Amino acid sequence: MRISLIHVQCLEGNNIVPPLGLMYVASALEENGHHVQMFDVDPSVVDVSEKIEKFRPHLIGFSFLSMTHKKAMDYCGALKARFPGTLFCAGGYHATIFPEETARQMELDFAVIGEGEETLVEACRAVEEKGDLSGVAGVVYRDDQGQYRRTPQRPLQKNLDLFPFPARRLLPFDRYLTPPGLIRGYATERLTTMVTSRGCPYSCIYCGSWQIFGRKVRRRSVENVISEIRSTVVQFGIKGLYFCDDIFVTDKDWVIGLSRRMREEGFRIEWACQTRVDTVSDEVLSEMKKAGCVQIDFGVESGSDRILKVLRKGVLSAQVEEAFRLVHKNGIRACATFMLGNPEETKEDMEQTLRLAKKIKPDYAIFYYTTPYPRTVL
Ligand code: B12
Ligand code: SF4
Protein backbone atom coordinates (compact mmCIF):
# COMPACT_ATOMS: atom_id res chain seq x y z
CA MET A 1 0.00 0.00 0.00
CA ARG A 2 0.98 3.65 -0.31
CA ILE A 3 0.66 5.40 3.05
CA SER A 4 1.00 9.11 3.94
CA LEU A 5 1.86 9.82 7.58
CA ILE A 6 1.40 13.24 9.18
CA HIS A 7 2.78 14.34 12.57
CA VAL A 8 0.88 17.43 13.72
CA GLN A 9 3.12 20.11 15.22
CA CYS A 10 2.08 22.66 17.85
CA LEU A 11 3.66 25.58 16.08
CA GLU A 12 5.19 25.47 12.60
CA GLY A 13 8.98 25.69 12.65
CA ASN A 14 9.08 25.37 16.42
CA ASN A 15 9.63 21.66 16.52
CA ILE A 16 13.30 20.86 16.70
CA VAL A 17 12.67 17.23 17.62
CA PRO A 18 11.75 14.75 14.89
CA PRO A 19 8.65 12.63 15.62
CA LEU A 20 10.33 9.39 16.62
CA GLY A 21 7.11 7.42 17.17
CA LEU A 22 5.83 8.05 13.66
CA MET A 23 9.27 7.32 12.19
CA TYR A 24 9.18 3.93 13.97
CA VAL A 25 5.78 3.20 12.47
CA ALA A 26 7.03 4.27 9.03
CA SER A 27 10.00 1.92 9.12
CA ALA A 28 7.83 -1.02 10.24
CA LEU A 29 5.55 -0.34 7.25
CA GLU A 30 8.48 -0.11 4.84
CA GLU A 31 9.94 -3.34 6.18
CA ASN A 32 6.63 -4.96 5.24
CA GLY A 33 6.74 -3.74 1.67
CA HIS A 34 4.62 -0.56 1.92
CA HIS A 35 5.55 2.79 0.42
CA VAL A 36 5.55 5.65 2.89
CA GLN A 37 5.62 9.41 2.66
CA MET A 38 5.91 11.46 5.86
CA PHE A 39 5.27 15.03 7.02
CA ASP A 40 5.94 16.88 10.27
CA VAL A 41 3.97 20.13 9.99
CA ASP A 42 1.56 22.50 11.64
CA PRO A 43 -1.30 21.97 9.18
CA SER A 44 -2.92 25.27 10.09
CA VAL A 45 0.11 26.90 8.43
CA VAL A 46 1.45 24.35 5.94
CA ASP A 47 -0.86 22.48 3.57
CA VAL A 48 0.73 19.29 2.22
CA SER A 49 -2.30 18.12 0.25
CA GLU A 50 -0.67 18.65 -3.16
CA LYS A 51 2.22 16.40 -2.20
CA ILE A 52 -0.28 13.84 -0.91
CA GLU A 53 -2.25 14.07 -4.15
CA LYS A 54 0.87 13.27 -6.20
CA PHE A 55 1.64 10.27 -3.95
CA ARG A 56 -1.93 8.87 -4.29
CA PRO A 57 -2.04 7.09 -0.89
CA HIS A 58 -4.45 4.29 0.00
CA LEU A 59 -4.20 5.31 3.66
CA ILE A 60 -3.48 8.58 5.49
CA GLY A 61 -2.38 8.32 9.13
CA PHE A 62 -2.20 11.07 11.75
CA SER A 63 -0.06 11.31 14.89
CA PHE A 64 -0.75 13.98 17.53
CA LEU A 65 -0.76 14.80 21.25
CA SER A 66 -3.75 16.20 23.13
CA MET A 67 -2.85 19.83 22.46
CA THR A 68 -2.66 19.26 18.72
CA HIS A 69 -5.80 17.12 18.54
CA LYS A 70 -7.99 20.00 17.32
CA LYS A 71 -5.55 20.86 14.51
CA ALA A 72 -5.39 17.20 13.49
CA MET A 73 -9.17 16.99 13.46
CA ASP A 74 -9.54 20.09 11.27
CA TYR A 75 -6.89 18.95 8.80
CA CYS A 76 -8.29 15.44 8.66
CA GLY A 77 -11.68 16.93 7.74
CA ALA A 78 -10.10 18.95 4.91
CA LEU A 79 -8.18 15.94 3.57
CA LYS A 80 -11.24 13.70 3.74
CA ALA A 81 -13.13 16.16 1.56
CA ARG A 82 -10.27 16.25 -0.94
CA PHE A 83 -9.51 12.49 -0.97
CA PRO A 84 -12.90 10.77 -0.57
CA GLY A 85 -11.78 7.23 -1.51
CA THR A 86 -8.82 7.14 0.87
CA LEU A 87 -8.73 5.38 4.25
CA PHE A 88 -7.91 7.46 7.34
CA CYS A 89 -6.40 6.39 10.67
CA ALA A 90 -4.73 7.92 13.73
CA GLY A 91 -2.37 6.81 16.46
CA GLY A 92 -0.14 8.28 19.13
CA TYR A 93 -0.78 9.58 22.60
CA HIS A 94 -4.20 11.23 22.26
CA ALA A 95 -5.67 8.51 20.04
CA THR A 96 -4.48 5.96 22.61
CA ILE A 97 -6.20 7.54 25.60
CA PHE A 98 -9.38 8.43 23.67
CA PRO A 99 -9.61 5.92 20.80
CA GLU A 100 -13.41 5.79 20.39
CA GLU A 101 -13.87 9.56 20.75
CA THR A 102 -10.99 10.29 18.36
CA ALA A 103 -12.26 7.81 15.76
CA ARG A 104 -15.76 9.28 15.96
CA GLN A 105 -14.72 12.95 15.98
CA MET A 106 -12.35 12.54 13.05
CA GLU A 107 -14.60 10.00 11.29
CA LEU A 108 -11.67 7.65 10.97
CA ASP A 109 -11.67 4.20 9.49
CA PHE A 110 -9.65 3.12 12.52
CA ALA A 111 -7.64 4.38 15.48
CA VAL A 112 -4.58 2.54 16.78
CA ILE A 113 -4.21 2.12 20.54
CA GLY A 114 -0.66 2.18 21.99
CA GLU A 115 2.49 0.86 20.36
CA GLY A 116 1.86 1.27 16.64
CA GLU A 117 4.43 -0.76 14.69
CA GLU A 118 2.82 -4.20 14.68
CA THR A 119 -0.77 -2.98 14.85
CA LEU A 120 -0.56 -0.78 11.78
CA VAL A 121 1.26 -3.42 9.75
CA GLU A 122 -1.44 -5.97 10.66
CA ALA A 123 -4.22 -3.48 9.99
CA CYS A 124 -2.83 -2.80 6.49
CA ARG A 125 -2.62 -6.54 5.84
CA ALA A 126 -6.21 -7.02 7.01
CA VAL A 127 -7.39 -4.16 4.78
CA GLU A 128 -5.59 -5.63 1.76
CA GLU A 129 -6.70 -9.20 2.36
CA LYS A 130 -10.30 -8.92 3.51
CA GLY A 131 -11.12 -5.33 4.34
CA ASP A 132 -12.07 -6.34 7.88
CA LEU A 133 -10.21 -5.23 11.01
CA SER A 134 -12.12 -7.32 13.54
CA GLY A 135 -9.16 -9.70 13.94
CA VAL A 136 -6.53 -6.98 14.52
CA ALA A 137 -5.72 -6.49 18.22
CA GLY A 138 -5.34 -2.92 19.52
CA VAL A 139 -7.70 -0.91 17.29
CA VAL A 140 -11.04 0.84 17.28
CA TYR A 141 -12.46 0.37 13.78
CA ARG A 142 -15.61 1.23 11.87
CA ASP A 143 -17.57 -1.85 10.82
CA ASP A 144 -19.85 -2.32 7.78
CA GLN A 145 -22.77 -0.77 9.68
CA GLY A 146 -20.72 2.32 10.50
CA GLN A 147 -20.44 1.31 14.20
CA TYR A 148 -17.13 1.76 16.01
CA ARG A 149 -15.84 -1.40 17.67
CA ARG A 150 -12.84 -1.99 19.92
CA THR A 151 -10.73 -5.14 19.51
CA PRO A 152 -8.84 -6.77 22.41
CA GLN A 153 -5.75 -5.04 23.74
CA ARG A 154 -2.45 -5.89 22.04
CA PRO A 155 0.32 -7.08 24.36
CA LEU A 156 3.40 -4.85 24.26
CA GLN A 157 6.32 -6.21 22.24
CA LYS A 158 8.79 -7.68 24.76
CA ASN A 159 11.82 -7.52 22.49
CA LEU A 160 12.34 -3.94 21.28
CA ASP A 161 15.33 -5.05 19.20
CA LEU A 162 12.84 -6.50 16.72
CA PHE A 163 11.68 -3.05 15.61
CA PRO A 164 13.59 -1.53 12.69
CA PHE A 165 15.29 1.82 13.41
CA PRO A 166 13.18 4.96 12.88
CA ALA A 167 12.94 6.04 9.22
CA ARG A 168 14.72 9.38 9.72
CA ARG A 169 15.50 9.76 6.01
CA LEU A 170 11.78 10.21 5.23
CA LEU A 171 11.93 13.72 6.72
CA PRO A 172 14.11 16.62 5.60
CA PHE A 173 16.58 16.07 8.37
CA ASP A 174 18.45 19.38 8.25
CA ARG A 175 15.50 21.34 9.60
CA TYR A 176 15.90 19.62 12.97
CA LEU A 177 19.48 20.73 13.30
CA THR A 178 18.70 24.35 14.07
CA PRO A 179 20.42 25.72 17.20
CA PRO A 180 19.92 25.93 20.14
CA GLY A 181 18.70 22.31 20.00
CA LEU A 182 18.12 20.08 22.95
CA ILE A 183 21.68 20.32 24.27
CA ARG A 184 22.17 24.04 24.41
CA GLY A 185 25.56 25.24 23.32
CA TYR A 186 26.71 21.72 22.44
CA ALA A 187 26.27 19.76 19.24
CA THR A 188 24.36 22.65 17.75
CA GLU A 189 24.71 20.96 14.40
CA ARG A 190 23.74 17.43 13.48
CA LEU A 191 21.98 16.30 16.63
CA THR A 192 19.34 13.60 16.69
CA THR A 193 17.12 11.90 19.23
CA MET A 194 16.86 8.24 20.15
CA VAL A 195 14.90 6.04 22.56
CA THR A 196 16.54 3.05 24.21
CA SER A 197 13.64 2.00 26.47
CA ARG A 198 9.87 2.13 26.77
CA GLY A 199 7.83 2.25 29.97
CA CYS A 200 8.14 3.83 33.41
CA PRO A 201 7.38 2.16 36.76
CA TYR A 202 6.62 5.39 38.69
CA SER A 203 3.26 7.08 39.27
CA CYS A 204 3.76 10.86 39.29
CA ILE A 205 0.23 12.27 39.29
CA TYR A 206 0.74 14.70 36.39
CA CYS A 207 2.30 12.17 34.00
CA GLY A 208 0.57 10.00 31.44
CA SER A 209 3.62 8.36 30.01
CA TRP A 210 2.55 4.87 31.16
CA GLN A 211 -0.60 5.00 29.02
CA ILE A 212 1.32 4.11 25.84
CA PHE A 213 4.15 1.92 27.05
CA GLY A 214 3.01 0.67 30.45
CA ARG A 215 4.68 0.56 33.84
CA LYS A 216 7.29 -2.07 33.09
CA VAL A 217 10.56 -0.88 31.57
CA ARG A 218 11.55 -2.66 28.37
CA ARG A 219 15.06 -1.88 27.17
CA ARG A 220 16.83 -2.46 23.88
CA SER A 221 20.11 -4.35 23.94
CA VAL A 222 23.33 -2.34 24.08
CA GLU A 223 24.40 -3.70 20.69
CA ASN A 224 21.10 -2.72 19.07
CA VAL A 225 21.50 0.87 20.32
CA ILE A 226 25.17 0.98 19.25
CA SER A 227 24.12 -0.16 15.80
CA GLU A 228 21.52 2.64 15.54
CA ILE A 229 24.07 5.23 16.68
CA ARG A 230 26.54 3.93 14.08
CA SER A 231 23.94 4.16 11.34
CA THR A 232 23.04 7.78 12.24
CA VAL A 233 26.73 8.70 12.21
CA VAL A 234 27.22 7.09 8.81
CA GLN A 235 23.98 8.39 7.24
CA PHE A 236 23.74 11.86 8.73
CA GLY A 237 27.15 12.65 10.25
CA ILE A 238 25.55 12.94 13.67
CA LYS A 239 27.63 14.80 16.28
CA GLY A 240 25.07 15.01 19.08
CA LEU A 241 22.49 12.68 20.59
CA TYR A 242 19.60 13.26 22.96
CA PHE A 243 18.14 10.15 24.58
CA CYS A 244 14.39 10.75 24.96
CA ASP A 245 13.74 7.83 27.34
CA ASP A 246 11.49 8.69 30.26
CA ILE A 247 14.28 7.50 32.58
CA PHE A 248 17.62 6.79 30.94
CA VAL A 249 19.31 5.31 34.02
CA THR A 250 17.03 2.52 35.23
CA ASP A 251 19.65 -0.19 34.96
CA LYS A 252 23.10 0.97 36.04
CA ASP A 253 24.92 -1.97 34.43
CA TRP A 254 23.19 -1.36 31.12
CA VAL A 255 24.21 2.33 31.09
CA ILE A 256 27.81 1.48 32.00
CA GLY A 257 27.82 -1.19 29.27
CA LEU A 258 26.52 1.26 26.69
CA SER A 259 28.99 3.97 27.76
CA ARG A 260 31.93 1.59 27.42
CA ARG A 261 30.78 0.40 24.00
CA MET A 262 30.38 4.01 22.83
CA ARG A 263 33.99 4.64 23.79
CA GLU A 264 35.22 1.47 22.12
CA GLU A 265 33.42 2.46 18.92
CA GLY A 266 35.22 5.82 19.03
CA PHE A 267 32.04 7.84 18.43
CA ARG A 268 32.90 11.49 18.98
CA ILE A 269 29.39 12.32 20.09
CA GLU A 270 28.21 14.79 22.71
CA TRP A 271 25.08 13.40 24.29
CA ALA A 272 22.43 14.11 26.87
CA CYS A 273 19.57 12.29 28.55
CA GLN A 274 16.82 12.69 31.10
CA THR A 275 16.62 10.68 34.27
CA ARG A 276 15.42 10.76 37.89
CA VAL A 277 17.57 12.20 40.68
CA ASP A 278 17.51 8.89 42.56
CA THR A 279 19.17 6.98 39.71
CA VAL A 280 22.61 8.62 39.50
CA SER A 281 25.79 7.62 41.32
CA ASP A 282 29.47 8.49 41.01
CA GLU A 283 30.17 5.17 39.34
CA VAL A 284 27.60 5.53 36.55
CA LEU A 285 28.22 9.27 36.04
CA SER A 286 31.95 8.89 35.56
CA GLU A 287 31.38 6.23 32.87
CA MET A 288 28.77 8.43 31.18
CA LYS A 289 31.11 11.42 31.22
CA LYS A 290 33.95 9.41 29.64
CA ALA A 291 31.56 8.31 26.88
CA GLY A 292 30.66 11.91 25.94
CA CYS A 293 27.68 12.73 28.16
CA VAL A 294 27.57 16.53 28.52
CA GLN A 295 24.14 17.14 30.04
CA ILE A 296 21.52 15.43 32.18
CA ASP A 297 18.01 16.84 32.51
CA PHE A 298 16.07 16.25 35.71
CA GLY A 299 12.39 16.88 36.40
CA VAL A 300 12.88 18.41 39.86
CA GLU A 301 9.33 19.85 39.99
CA SER A 302 9.37 21.34 43.49
CA GLY A 303 11.61 22.38 46.36
CA SER A 304 8.90 21.58 48.88
CA ASP A 305 8.94 18.03 50.21
CA ARG A 306 5.25 18.37 50.99
CA ILE A 307 4.48 19.14 47.32
CA LEU A 308 6.82 16.40 46.06
CA LYS A 309 4.71 14.01 48.11
CA VAL A 310 1.46 15.44 46.69
CA LEU A 311 2.90 14.89 43.20
CA ARG A 312 3.89 11.30 44.20
CA LYS A 313 7.31 11.99 42.76
CA GLY A 314 8.91 9.40 45.02
CA VAL A 315 11.94 11.58 45.85
CA LEU A 316 12.65 14.38 48.33
CA SER A 317 14.58 17.63 47.94
CA ALA A 318 17.67 16.26 49.74
CA GLN A 319 18.01 13.67 46.94
CA VAL A 320 17.76 16.47 44.37
CA GLU A 321 20.64 18.32 46.05
CA GLU A 322 22.78 15.19 46.16
CA ALA A 323 22.13 14.36 42.48
CA PHE A 324 23.07 17.87 41.30
CA ARG A 325 26.22 17.77 43.45
CA LEU A 326 27.27 14.43 41.95
CA VAL A 327 26.53 15.40 38.34
CA HIS A 328 28.46 18.68 38.65
CA LYS A 329 31.33 16.91 40.41
CA ASN A 330 31.61 14.63 37.39
CA GLY A 331 31.85 17.59 35.02
CA ILE A 332 28.42 17.10 33.45
CA ARG A 333 25.83 19.84 33.13
CA ALA A 334 22.72 19.32 35.24
CA CYS A 335 19.51 20.96 34.07
CA ALA A 336 16.30 21.28 36.02
CA THR A 337 12.65 21.67 35.15
CA PHE A 338 10.19 22.84 37.79
CA MET A 339 6.42 22.99 38.07
CA LEU A 340 4.51 25.87 39.64
CA GLY A 341 0.81 25.91 40.45
CA ASN A 342 0.60 22.43 41.94
CA PRO A 343 -2.34 21.16 43.98
CA GLU A 344 -2.22 22.37 47.62
CA GLU A 345 0.77 24.60 46.79
CA THR A 346 1.21 27.78 48.86
CA LYS A 347 3.40 30.80 48.28
CA GLU A 348 5.83 29.39 50.85
CA ASP A 349 6.10 26.13 48.85
CA MET A 350 6.90 28.12 45.71
CA GLU A 351 9.53 30.08 47.60
CA GLN A 352 11.09 26.80 48.65
CA THR A 353 11.19 25.85 44.97
CA LEU A 354 13.04 29.05 44.15
CA ARG A 355 15.45 28.51 47.04
CA LEU A 356 16.19 24.97 45.86
CA ALA A 357 16.62 26.18 42.28
CA LYS A 358 19.28 28.64 43.43
CA LYS A 359 20.96 26.16 45.74
CA ILE A 360 21.46 23.36 43.23
CA LYS A 361 22.84 25.78 40.59
CA PRO A 362 21.32 24.13 37.52
CA ASP A 363 23.11 24.91 34.27
CA TYR A 364 19.74 26.00 33.10
CA ALA A 365 16.30 25.87 34.59
CA ILE A 366 12.81 25.93 33.13
CA PHE A 367 9.71 26.77 35.15
CA TYR A 368 6.46 25.34 33.79
CA TYR A 369 2.88 25.85 34.88
CA THR A 370 1.46 22.58 36.07
CA THR A 371 -0.95 21.35 33.40
CA PRO A 372 -3.48 18.60 33.99
CA TYR A 373 -3.33 16.37 30.92
CA PRO A 374 -6.26 14.06 30.20
CA ARG A 375 -6.44 10.66 31.89
CA THR A 376 -3.70 11.47 34.41
CA VAL A 377 -4.42 11.39 38.15
CA LEU A 378 -4.06 15.17 38.18
C1 B12 B 1 10.37 12.93 23.99
C2 B12 B 1 9.12 13.69 24.40
C3 B12 B 1 9.04 15.01 24.01
C4 B12 B 1 10.08 15.67 23.11
C5 B12 B 1 9.83 15.28 21.65
C6 B12 B 1 8.38 15.30 21.21
C7 B12 B 1 8.21 14.84 19.77
N1 B12 B 1 7.59 15.66 18.98
O1 B12 B 1 8.61 13.76 19.42
C8 B12 B 1 9.89 17.16 23.44
C9 B12 B 1 10.84 17.53 24.55
C10 B12 B 1 10.08 18.15 22.29
C11 B12 B 1 8.44 17.14 23.96
C12 B12 B 1 7.63 18.23 23.98
C13 B12 B 1 6.34 18.24 24.46
N2 B12 B 1 5.73 17.22 25.13
CO1 B12 B 1 6.44 15.45 25.29
N3 B12 B 1 7.04 13.70 25.57
C14 B12 B 1 8.10 13.06 25.16
C15 B12 B 1 8.09 11.62 25.73
C16 B12 B 1 8.98 11.58 26.96
C17 B12 B 1 8.52 10.52 24.76
C18 B12 B 1 7.88 10.60 23.35
C19 B12 B 1 8.58 9.63 22.45
O2 B12 B 1 9.43 9.97 21.65
N4 B12 B 1 8.26 8.36 22.61
C20 B12 B 1 8.85 7.27 21.85
C21 B12 B 1 8.01 6.91 20.63
C22 B12 B 1 8.58 5.65 20.01
O3 B12 B 1 6.69 6.67 21.06
P1 B12 B 1 5.40 7.49 20.56
O4 B12 B 1 5.79 8.81 20.06
O5 B12 B 1 4.36 7.42 21.61
O6 B12 B 1 4.91 6.62 19.30
C23 B12 B 1 4.40 5.31 19.41
C24 B12 B 1 2.88 5.23 19.60
O7 B12 B 1 2.33 6.37 20.21
C25 B12 B 1 2.33 4.98 18.23
N5 B12 B 1 2.06 6.09 17.32
C26 B12 B 1 2.47 7.36 17.36
N6 B12 B 1 2.00 8.06 16.30
C27 B12 B 1 1.28 7.21 15.55
C28 B12 B 1 0.59 7.39 14.35
C29 B12 B 1 -0.07 6.32 13.77
C30 B12 B 1 -0.80 6.50 12.48
C31 B12 B 1 -0.04 5.05 14.40
C32 B12 B 1 -0.76 3.90 13.82
C33 B12 B 1 0.64 4.87 15.62
C34 B12 B 1 1.31 5.94 16.17
O8 B12 B 1 3.33 4.17 17.64
C35 B12 B 1 4.62 4.66 18.05
C36 B12 B 1 5.62 3.54 18.08
O9 B12 B 1 5.22 2.52 18.96
C37 B12 B 1 6.55 11.45 26.08
C38 B12 B 1 6.28 10.50 27.21
C39 B12 B 1 6.15 9.11 26.69
N7 B12 B 1 6.92 8.23 27.21
O10 B12 B 1 5.34 8.83 25.79
C40 B12 B 1 6.13 12.90 26.41
C41 B12 B 1 4.71 13.35 26.13
C42 B12 B 1 4.26 12.80 24.80
N8 B12 B 1 4.84 14.80 26.02
C43 B12 B 1 3.83 15.45 26.52
C44 B12 B 1 3.73 16.87 26.50
C45 B12 B 1 2.59 17.45 27.30
C46 B12 B 1 4.63 17.69 25.77
C47 B12 B 1 4.59 19.22 25.61
C48 B12 B 1 3.22 19.83 25.42
C49 B12 B 1 5.30 19.81 26.82
C50 B12 B 1 5.24 21.35 26.89
N9 B12 B 1 4.52 21.84 27.87
O11 B12 B 1 5.83 22.01 26.10
C51 B12 B 1 5.46 19.41 24.35
C52 B12 B 1 4.67 19.32 23.01
C53 B12 B 1 5.60 19.20 21.80
C54 B12 B 1 4.99 18.65 20.53
N10 B12 B 1 4.00 19.23 19.93
O12 B12 B 1 5.39 17.63 20.01
C55 B12 B 1 2.79 14.51 27.10
C56 B12 B 1 1.55 14.41 26.21
C57 B12 B 1 0.26 14.45 26.99
C58 B12 B 1 -0.93 14.49 26.08
N11 B12 B 1 -2.08 14.22 26.64
O13 B12 B 1 -0.87 14.75 24.92
C59 B12 B 1 3.62 13.18 27.28
C60 B12 B 1 2.82 11.89 27.14
C61 B12 B 1 4.30 13.22 28.67
C62 B12 B 1 3.32 13.48 29.79
N12 B12 B 1 3.39 14.64 30.38
O14 B12 B 1 2.50 12.69 30.15
N13 B12 B 1 8.07 15.90 24.37
S1 SF4 C 1 7.34 11.99 35.43
FE1 SF4 C 1 9.00 10.61 34.83
S2 SF4 C 1 9.24 9.27 36.62
FE2 SF4 C 1 7.25 10.28 36.87
S3 SF4 C 1 5.79 8.80 35.98
FE3 SF4 C 1 6.36 10.26 34.34
S4 SF4 C 1 8.06 9.34 33.24
FE4 SF4 C 1 7.82 8.25 35.17
Side-chain angles (χ1 to χ4, degrees):
M1 283 169 82
R2 281 189 304 280
I3 301 155
S4 302
L5 297 175
I6 306 171
H7 177 257
V8 179
Q9 286 188 10
C10 278
L11 206 56
E12 179 59 29
N14 196 35
N15 192 5
I16 52 168
V17 184
L20 268 182
L22 201 58
M23 295 190 301
Y24 264 110
V25 169
S27 54
L29 289 169
E30 287 192 327
E31 194 180 60
N32 284 275
H34 300 288
H35 299 281
V36 183
Q37 120 182 117
M38 194 154 103
F39 303 99
D40 177 26
V41 289
D42 173 350
S44 66
V45 180
V46 176
D47 179 14
V48 291
S49 56
E50 276 186 23
K51 288 181 181 153
I52 294 178
E53 189 155 31
K54 280 195 194 123
F55 189 67
R56 293 182 293 113
H58 303 97
L59 172 69
I60 298 179
F62 280 90
S63 177
F64 47 91
L65 301 181
S66 294
M67 41 275 150
T68 44
H69 162 231
K70 174 77 172 60
K71 280 185 187 181
M73 203 163 76
D74 291 348
Y75 199 51
C76 183
L79 293 184
K80 284 186 80 114
R82 184 157 176 174
F83 306 110
T86 308
L87 294 170
F88 282 81
C89 74
Y93 193 80
H94 190 83
T96 292
I97 56 174
F98 295 119
E100 280 91 359
E101 294 87 337
T102 304
R104 243 178 242 119
Q105 288 164 347
M106 294 174 71
E107 296 178 32
L108 300 171
D109 295 282
F110 62 97
V112 169
I113 304 167
E115 206 155 75
E117 291 91 339
E118 290 166 346
T119 314
L120 192 56
V121 167
E122 270 186 36
C124 289
R125 194 177 304 131
V127 165
E128 282 177 323
E129 286 173 3
K130 38 188 176 158
D132 171 20
L133 273 73
S134 58
V136 179
V139 296
V140 164
Y141 71 101
R142 189 164 47 189
D143 69 11
D144 297 345
Q145 266 69 51
Q147 299 294 314
Y148 282 106
R149 298 190 181 279
R150 189 193 275 238
T151 62
Q153 195 176 338
R154 174 178 297 271
L156 294 164
Q157 172 53 258
K158 288 199 184 85
N159 182 1
L160 295 181
D161 287 3
L162 295 178
F163 292 142
F165 302 150
R168 294 185 174 83
R169 71 199 148 64
L170 288 180
L171 286 172
F173 202 70
D174 281 358
R175 69 184 277 190
Y176 300 104
L177 304 171
T178 324
L182 281 175
I183 321 180
R184 297 193 188 176
Y186 282 104
T188 52
E189 280 175 74
R190 314 215 77 77
L191 175 133
T192 196
T193 48
M194 208 169 275
V195 269
T196 70
S197 67
R198 295 183 181 184
C200 168
Y202 297 93
S203 310
C204 308
I205 63 165
Y206 51 86
C207 181
S209 189
W210 60 275
Q211 310 244 24
I212 297 248
F213 296 135
R215 298 218 192 263
K216 191 167 181 293
V217 181
R218 293 166 292 150
R219 203 168 271 286
R220 297 164 56 191
S221 69
V222 166
E223 283 317 311
N224 186 258
V225 176
I226 289 290
S227 162
E228 185 179 349
I229 300 176
R230 199 185 296 121
S231 79
T232 60
V233 171
V234 171
Q235 274 185 57
F236 305 109
I238 283 306
K239 294 197 167 76
L241 251 187
Y242 189 95
F243 291 106
C244 281
D245 304 43
D246 286 332
I247 314 173
F248 187 67
V249 189
T250 49
D251 175 346
K252 178 185 85 157
D253 294 338
W254 186 93
V255 175
I256 291 174
L258 180 76
S259 301
R260 290 189 179 154
R261 285 289 292 116
M262 283 173 88
R263 280 166 62 198
E264 274 167 28
E265 287 284 324
F267 297 136
R268 284 216 202 90
I269 288 178
E270 292 169 323
W271 57 275
C273 64
Q274 44 193 17
T275 196
R276 286 169 57 91
V277 294
D278 55 353
T279 61
V280 291
S281 64
D282 252 335
E283 185 193 10
V284 76
L285 288 167
S286 83
E287 293 288 341
M288 288 164 74
K289 167 75 182 172
K290 282 187 256 173
C293 178
V294 291
Q295 174 180 313
I296 303 180
D297 295 350
F298 294 98
V300 174
E301 328 311 3
S302 176
S304 154
D305 284 340
R306 196 176 67 82
I307 295 302
L308 286 171
K309 283 181 193 151
V310 170
L311 297 175
R312 294 190 210 150
K313 188 74 193 177
V315 291
L316 297 173
S317 56
Q319 289 164 285
V320 174
E321 288 180 41
E322 177 60 5
F324 275 70
R325 190 187 68 75
L326 283 176
V327 176
H328 282 144
K329 180 183 148 205
N330 280 279
I332 301 173
R333 291 202 312 199
C335 301
T337 52
F338 297 93
M339 293 165 50
L340 293 170
N342 296 299
E344 299 180 33
E345 195 169 48
T346 63
K347 191 159 176 254
E348 171 50 28
D349 292 311
M350 293 194 206
E351 276 161 6
Q352 285 184 34
T353 297
L354 278 183
R355 281 200 289 276
L356 182 70
K358 286 182 185 161
K359 197 169 179 191
I360 59 178
K361 295 192 172 53
D363 292 85
Y364 69 84
I366 310 179
F367 295 82
Y368 289 104
Y369 294 115
T370 298
T371 310
Y373 285 106
R375 295 272 159 97
T376 61
V377 173
L378 184 60

